[in-house]
Amino acid sequence: MSAFALPLEDYALLPDDDCDRLIVAAKQRLGSRCVILGHHYQRDEVFRHADFTGDSLKLSRLAAQSEASYIVFCGVHFMAEVADILSRPEQIAILPDLAAGCSMADMANLVNVERCWQELATVVDVESTVTPVTYINSAADLKAFCGNHGGIVCTSSNARKILEWSFARRRKVLFFPDQHLGRNTGYRMGIPLEQMAVWDYTRPMGGLTEEQIEKARILLWKGFCSVHQMFRPEHIDRFKAEYPETLVIAHPEAAFEVCEKADYIGSTESILATVKAAPPNTRWLVATELNLVNRLHQECKADGKHVHFMSPTVCMCSTMFRTDPQHLAWILENLAEGRVVNRIEVPEVVARPARQALDAMLSVV
Ligand code: CIZ
Ligand code: SF4
C-alpha cells in the first residue's frame, strides 16, 4: 500500500524520526511545487523543515510572493487564511492540523464585533470617527469587517505605524482582539491610559458609559493571549534580584506592567534581531513563547549570551504545538501523491474586503 493511503491515525503512531524521513522524502518529491512556512513559535521538530521562518507579517509577504502551488503553513489557522487571501487563486494554502487555532483570535467574532459597532454608533458617528483595526491574529471575516469599514490589519511588528495611519484618518480606533498590544502601542505613542477604554464584549455597550466612549481615543477589545498573560512583573523583579545586569525584552502581547519594566518591547522578529545583535556575554530575560526563547538561547550561547524564559512555569502556545511531525508527514505524503488535505480556503466574498485591509497594511509597512 502506498504511504499516502494511510489514514492520519496511522501517522499519529509513527515515531518522530520516521516522520522526519518521510517529510524529507516527500519534500524532495514535491520540489518547488511546495513551500513550507514556519512560524517562530513552532516546535523544533517542525521548524527545521520550514523553507522560510518568520513572524506572521514576514510569512504573509512570502506567501504573497511565492511561486509554489502548495503553501504549507506551520502556524495557526488565521495565518493560513492570510496565505490563502494574499496568494494567487490557483495556489493552495494548507494547515497541517485544522485544530491549530489561536485562543486570542477566538475572543472576537463577527457577531460581537458587529454588535459593538452598532452600539458605538448610538454614541458617535462610527464611519467618520472610528477606524477598526484588527490584529492579524483574527479570523478572516474580521479582517473583511475592517476592509468594509475603512479599517486595516496590524501585526505586532507594525502596530505603531498602523495606529498612526488610523489616527491620520479618524479620531478614534476600535482595536481588537488583543487589548495589550493596543494599550502598549497606544501608550508609547503618547496616548494616556485614561484615553484608552476596555470594551468588554460580554456586556452591553462594552460595559462603558457614553462619556467613557466619547473620551476614549482607543477602545481596547477585552482579548488577550493565554501564553503572554503568564508573564508577571514579579518574575522580572525576582530574576533581577539575582542577576541585576539582566536586559529584559517583552512581546507587546504581554501585560502593560510587564512592558513597563522591560528595556525593550518588540515582536518576535524584533526580539530575535535585538538579542542576536546584542554584545557578547549579555544576559536576557525574554517574555514570549518558549520554543522561540529556547532556540534563541541555543543560537546565542556560543557568544556567551544567556537567554532566559521569563516565567517560572512552562508556557508554550498549545495550539501552535498541535502541528507535529506526524501531521506534517501526513499532509506532505498526500501532496506528493497529488492529494490535497486540510486546505484553507477563504470564500471570495470575505477574501476581497479582507485583502483590502491586508493590502492597506502592506502599503503602510
Ligand atoms: O505576528 C506574529 O507572528 C505573532 C503572532 C507574533 C509576533 O510578534 O511575531
Ligand atoms: Fe494565539 Fe497567543 Fe498562541 Fe500567539 S501565542 S498563536 S496569540 S494563543
Side-chain angles (χ1 to χ4, degrees):
M1 188 168 70
S2 68
F4 87 96
L6 287 169
L8 174 60
E9 294 75 48
D10 288 1
Y11 284 79
L13 302 174
L14 290 179
D16 283 4
D17 286 352
D18 291 356
C19 291
D20 237 37
R21 281 190 286 277
L22 295 178
I23 292 167
V24 171
K27 264 191 87 176
Q28 251 166 22
R29 283 174 69 195
L30 284 157
S32 61
R33 285 181 293 146
C34 173
V35 65
I36 302 181
L37 306 179
H39 191 270
H40 292 307
Y41 294 161
Q42 288 295 322
R43 47 163 110 181
D44 289 347
E45 308 86 73
V46 167
F47 195 80
R48 74 166 73 104
H49 294 294
D51 298 300
F52 298 103
T53 60
D55 67 352
S56 56
L57 175 62
K58 182 173 157 196
L59 294 176
S60 51
R61 281 218 176 92
L62 287 165
Q65 290 157 9
S66 161
E67 291 297 322
S69 312
Y70 307 121
I71 301 167
V72 175
F73 215 125
C74 298
V76 290
H77 192 267
F78 71 83
M79 298 179 185
E81 282 186 334
V82 171
D84 180 55
I85 294 167
L86 294 180
S87 58
R88 291 190 308 283
E90 67 277 14
Q91 290 178 296
I92 292 175
I94 290 162
L95 184 68
D97 184 348
L98 294 180
C102 162
S103 53
M104 175 211 280
D106 292 343
M107 290 175 189
N109 62 45
L110 193 57
V111 171
N112 51 31
V113 168
E114 271 176 348
R115 194 181 58 225
C116 164
W117 198 246
Q118 280 160 14
E119 289 178 337
L120 287 177
T122 64
V123 182
V124 291
D125 176 13
V126 274
E127 298 295 338
S128 66
T129 314
V130 188
T131 307
V133 178
T134 188
Y135 188 19
I136 197 161
N137 296 34
S138 58
D141 56 3
L142 294 186
K143 297 182 176 83
F145 177 90
C146 290
N148 284 329
H149 294 278
I152 191 162
V153 178
C154 79
T155 73
S156 44
S157 300
N158 60 26
R160 184 181 180 126
K161 283 194 182 140
I162 299 299
L163 286 187
E164 285 165 357
W165 179 96
S166 307
F167 285 121
R169 282 157 181 79
R170 298 177 189 170
R171 244 173 345 105
K172 292 177 188 288
V173 161
L174 169 63
F175 191 93
F176 45 87
D178 185 25
Q179 58 173 305
H180 299 293
L181 178 62
R183 185 182 294 108
N184 287 321
T185 310
Y187 185 75
R188 281 171 187 80
M189 289 168 69
I191 300 175
L193 292 179
E194 314 80 74
Q195 291 179 20
M196 296 190 257
V198 174
W199 183 273
D200 181 348
Y201 56 92
T202 64
R203 298 174 63 192
M205 295 299 279
L208 298 174
T209 62
E210 285 194 14
E211 197 192 347
Q212 286 171 313
I213 292 171
E214 265 156 16
K215 192 172 149 204
R217 295 201 56 212
I218 308 186
L219 290 151
L220 301 166
W221 197 262
K222 201 180 177 182
F224 60 88
C225 164
S226 47
V227 177
H228 290 85
Q229 71 151 5
M230 305 278 281
F231 305 115
R232 302 305 314 152
E234 312 77 89
H235 299 155
I236 302 177
D237 296 339
R238 254 182 264 147
F239 196 87
K240 280 195 150 183
E242 200 171 337
Y243 301 106
E245 78 287 5
T246 303
L247 292 161
V248 179
I249 187 160
H251 193 280
E253 286 173 21
F256 180 75
E257 309 81 61
V258 171
C259 290
E260 276 292 275
K261 280 186 179 270
D263 299 287
Y264 302 89
I265 301 170
S267 65
T268 55
E269 284 289 312
S270 129
I271 291 173
L272 294 174
T274 307
V275 176
K276 285 181 191 173
N281 303 316
T282 42
R283 190 177 293 278
W284 290 85
L285 190 62
V286 184
T288 198
E289 206 271 346
L290 183 60
N291 283 294
L292 178 153
V293 179
N294 283 343
R295 238 176 346 253
L296 188 58
H297 172 71
Q298 291 303 327
E299 280 176 48
C300 291
K301 68 180 182 197
D303 284 348
K305 280 182 229 173
H306 300 275
V307 181
H308 305 262
F309 185 61
M310 188 178 287
S311 169
T313 47
V314 170
C315 40
M316 276 185 275
C317 175
S318 56
T319 49
M320 286 276 181
F321 193 71
R322 295 196 74 105
T323 302
D324 54 18
Q326 288 69 23
H327 281 83
L328 190 54
W330 173 63
I331 58 124
L332 289 178
E333 290 226 305
N334 276 300
L335 280 183
E337 295 292 335
R339 180 189 286 201
V340 173
V341 284
N342 287 9
R343 178 173 189 179
I344 302 297
E345 205 172 4
V346 180
E348 191 51 25
V349 63
V350 174
R352 192 192 45 77
R355 194 176 298 120
Q356 200 174 314
L358 282 161
D359 284 346
M361 171 182 84
L362 293 171
S363 68
V364 174
V365 290

